[in-house]
Amino acid sequence: MHGMTTFADQPIEDQIAQWRAYLRRRQAVDGPDVEELEGHLRDQLAALTEAGLGADEAFLIAVKRMGNLDALSREFARAHSERLWKQLVVAPEADTPANTSRTEMLVVLSLAVAAALAVKVPALFGLPLSPNDEPPPFYFRNASLFVLPLLTVYFLWKRGSGVASGLWLALPFAAGAVFANVFPFRTGSDTQRLTALHLPIALWLAVGFAYVRSRWFAAAGRMDFVRFSGELAIYYVLIALGGGVVTAFTFMMFSAIDMNPDWFVAGWLIPCGAAGAIIVGSWLVEAKQSVIENMAPVLTRLFTPLFTVLLLAFLATMVWTGNPINVKREVLIGFDLLLAVVVGLVLYAASARDPQAPPDFFDGLQLLLVVSALVVDGVALAAIAARISEFGFTPNRVAALGENLILLVNLARSAWLYARFLRHRGSFAALERWQIAYLPVYAEWAALVVVVFPPVFGYR
């Protein structure tokens, strides 16, 4: 039996008592079962409040998660979720003073402004963003360093982490800044582009440590970060769409008075807005964490069949026409992004699924998606290997080879675990554990590309 955690907040204890009384009224649940379920509930509450959620919001999410373990808890969650969400949205939380919310908003706005201004700092040192010229390569190499350190500061503040944690997490950002700027990259070199693409992936791991704190080495902690990453991507796309509308209206209004706003849009609005939006989007995910969480099953069920059809159509067309994959840099990047999206869909689907539920049609569709991606990855690997055999090694080909091999291992193992689950020979939890345990591999490979590739390939 789980050890009971007593919460000092009396409203939460009252809500737990109401939930407990609800279960006891049902003849199918006896005393020991209620105590066991309450232990699970309190464990969930402790983890959620430690992650920074308010008391009422933590209770609602915990009860919803308990619904995955017990049908009566699920019924209780349906009956009480509307009342709790009204309390969260319409009125301030009882256990969160208004000044705390205002303080957090000020912190977020300050960090967002700092991220926006950080983009303009290089202009003081002779690296301006000109609307008529391509941005200097410095901006592409350091794009993640303008924002991710400040996002890490927000999570350190939000989680109440100590100074020691902040100093440890500053090390990867300092190392990233060094390796992005000390190498003598050639103009337009492939290694410079690879550094710009891979540095954000490597540093995102440091953001994850700040987000989950000591829970990083627990599967639940990493899965929470997966959910956060997916939800932030959704918010960021929505903010970007809104930014596109603002940009269009900016051009329309200034053009009406015969003014060209290129200097403002290209030099300020787009780069500063793109940087600040990451901080604001992260705060939105934190503020209403479980609202967007309900979109996860909808999005995965929408895009899984679409990407499955896309991959199958591509494979069928390639077989029908006999045309091989054209191994160019842009094509390789596109295929890697496509396969990364597939892995992301599998991860996001795992984060939204009840691990105890039996396999269904959607699980079979997920397996078909993974197998299709596995075949596409194998075809891409064969094309890359043939290109290397014929023309030799280049930074792009070796990077693509490594990334496709990493994806191949992930997809192959995922397909095996999905097949075992569908045949009732394994659990979905095994697939979830595999996905979570494999996450650091991507960051480690990205760090290797940033640190090792430039000198090995002569900065070309």
Side-chain angles (χ1 to χ4, degrees), residues 304-433:
T304 292
L306 291 177
F307 274 93
T308 304
V309 170
L310 172 63
L311 292 175
L312 291 175
F314 168 76
L315 291 171
T317 303
M318 187 176 62
V319 172
W320 180 265
T321 61
N323 293 334
I325 294 177
N326 186 5
V327 187
K328 293 183 179 179
R329 180 178 64 243
E330 294 78 8
V331 176
L332 292 177
I333 293 174
F335 269 96
D336 287 343
L337 287 175
L338 173 63
L339 295 172
V341 168
V342 171
V343 172
L345 280 174
V346 174
L347 260 174
Y348 210 39
S351 74
R353 192 190 189 283
D354 176 7
Q356 306 300 323
D360 56 18
F361 172 78
F362 182 74
D363 292 308
L365 194 61
Q366 283 278 106
L367 175 58
L368 181 60
L369 172 66
V370 172
V371 171
S372 302
L374 187 60
V375 175
V376 170
D377 194 10
V379 172
L381 273 171
I384 294 169
R387 191 77 170 179
I388 291 175
S389 175
E390 184 175 359
F391 298 104
F393 292 96
T394 66
N396 287 327
R397 291 171 196 152
V398 175
L401 179 66
E403 285 150 15
N404 280 271
L405 284 172
I406 289 172
L407 289 167
L408 183 75
V409 172
N410 191 358
L411 291 168
R413 180 66 175 171
S414 298
W416 169 256
L417 293 173
Y418 249 126
R420 285 181 57 85
F421 173 61
L422 289 171
R423 297 170 63 189
H424 301 280
R425 294 187 177 181
S427 66
F428 189 84
L431 172 66
E432 188 175 3
R433 286 193 300 271

Side-chain angles (χ1 to χ4, degrees), residues 443-457:
E444 291 163 2
W445 171 255
L448 182 70
V449 172
V450 171
V451 175
V452 176
F453 273 44
V456 166
F457 289 98

